[in-house]
Amino acid sequence: SRSHLVVTVSVTKSHQGKVTRGKLNLIDLAGSERICKTEASGSRLTEAKSINKSLAALGNVIQALGSKEKRHVPFRDSKLTYLLQDCLNGSSK
């Protein structure tokens, strides 16, 4: 089965009352699929549509974040962008 893979590693360190937190996301995105070329059907077609939709949602989020004008960032359009919301917005380092 083709799908995206997101592995999140969270680290918390406490030293002399000071707490430091870190988060590392390792992401393997499934490639987009041209449905007409692969002639996918059934569950494979549904899977391909879902992958293409989430990649489009990721593109929309990146476009909204890069826009000079203040606008709504559609993080909730897919599970992928929702999971990555904290590392995609401006507060990440």
Side-chain angles (χ1 to χ4, degrees):
S1 149
R2 298 180 59 226
S3 59
H4 305 307
L5 173 69
V6 178
V7 176
T8 302
V9 179
S10 297
V11 178
T12 303
K13 180 183 177 184
S14 179
H15 182 68
Q16 297 178 348
K18 183 179 178 184
V19 178
T20 304
R21 290 184 177 89
K23 188 179 202 181
L24 173 67
N25 290 304
L26 303 170
I27 305 160
D28 181 16
L29 297 176
S32 65
E33 208 171 281
R34 299 209 188 277
I35 296 169
C36 62
K37 285 187 177 182
T38 60
E39 298 178 3
S41 62
S43 63
R44 192 139 173 97
L45 175 63
T46 304
E47 186 177 71
K49 285 181 182 178
S50 179
I51 289 169
N52 290 345
K53 183 179 176 185
S54 66
L55 289 173
L58 180 60
N60 291 340
V61 166
I62 292 169
Q63 184 177 21
L65 290 170
S67 175
K68 293 184 190 256
E69 59 190 51
K70 290 265 188 184
R71 57 187 264 202
H72 170 71
V73 180
F75 287 115
R76 294 184 181 180
D77 283 359
S78 79
K79 289 179 186 177
L80 177 66
T81 55
Y82 186 75
L83 285 172
L84 300 176
Q85 180 175 356
D86 60 340
C87 69
L88 289 173
N89 68 19
S91 64
S92 61
K93 295 180 183 176

